[in-house]
Amino acid sequence: MKQGRQGTTRSRHERPEDVKNLSCAVRLEYTADSLQGPGSQEGQRETCKTMQQRWETQWQEFLRTLQPSQPGAGHLTPSEASPWEDPKAFLASFEQVAQACHWPRGEWAARLLPALSGEAEEAFQSLEPRDREDYTKVKAAILREEAIKMEAQRQYFRQFCCREAEDPRRIHSQLQELCHQWLKPERRTKEQILELLILEQFLVSLPSDLQSWIRAQGADTCSQAVTLMDDFLLNQQEDETRKWQVSFHFWSYVMTQGIGFTGSP
């Protein structure tokens, strides 16, 4: 799901029942926009409790759209329905809904649980039981899984090599598919794709440990990478300062106590 996606503009007079005609990847965005946007005069007259109940109903309706249409049909295909095509955008919209509904922060993880599927659900299951109730940790695990997946897709494209006497058309087709899996042009704008390519070159120019650390944080833009780089270097400086302070205090203690080291037991 991509907020602000071209081609998904909606009229302010669109009826709630029309939401069912939207693709599943857009429905939560519709819900979040309708909750946060300026309401009608009739909506403004509703009590806070009534509006929260209406928003809660919309969230439950959204969850029902994620269920298979027939028993035993299994999960809906990602190309048709998965809101986890873009985890970062989906979670941002979920947080808008949660805030509009005034759900206590401690309930967010439980509220999100019915919407989990695929790799997002696997990331959730990988957490310790006590951490599954912490939305911040659940979100971090999901985004970390997405970052790992994207890095793997990038490497598949960059490390692709053909075998001798292989059909050139097949090679081209494979490269095209790998590139699409990595850059996802169907959901990203030209500017976002360009940013990813610049970000890749920027990261390649960094030391390997710093590069790996920034990739693991899931940076999407160069500005995010620069901020993470500053944090990394600052943490290193603080670690070095702490080591120096510990060493200084240790030797100060040795000198004041007159402790000597002879090298023998």
Side-chain angles (χ1 to χ4, degrees), residues 48-106:
C48 180
K49 182 177 179 181
T50 301
M51 292 180 70
Q52 288 179 29
Q53 289 174 344
R54 178 167 60 87
W55 298 338
E56 176 73 35
T57 299
Q58 288 185 355
W59 170 250
Q60 295 302 325
E61 286 292 333
F62 170 75
L63 290 180
R64 278 194 282 275
T65 66
L66 301 182
Q67 302 304 314
S69 57
Q70 297 178 351
H75 290 292
L76 296 173
T77 60
S79 61
E80 292 178 352
S82 174
W84 297 106
E85 292 176 357
D86 190 342
K88 188 172 291 187
F90 179 84
L91 291 172
S93 291
F94 168 79
E95 290 168 11
Q96 285 185 312
V97 173
Q99 291 167 359
C101 292
H102 297 284
W103 294 336
R105 179 83 179 190

Side-chain angles (χ1 to χ4, degrees), residues 2 5-6 176-190 192-193 196:
K2 183 177 186 301
R5 185 194 300 270
Q6 294 180 354
Q176 205 169 34
E177 182 179 356
L178 291 172
C179 188
H180 273 71
Q181 289 175 355
W182 169 34
L183 297 176
K184 294 181 173 57
E186 72 281 357
R187 95 176 186 208
R188 292 192 174 101
T189 64
K190 291 184 293 184
Q192 289 172 326
I193 291 175
L196 279 177

Side-chain angles (χ1 to χ4, degrees), residues 39-46:
S40 63
Q41 291 182 354
E42 180 181 355
Q44 292 173 354
R45 288 194 297 267
E46 293 179 338

Side-chain angles (χ1 to χ4, degrees), residues 165-180:
E166 191 169 0
D167 183 0
R169 294 177 182 81
R170 180 178 175 82
I171 295 172
H172 174 259
S173 177
Q174 287 178 317
L175 276 172
Q176 205 169 34
E177 182 179 356
L178 291 172
C179 188
H180 273 71

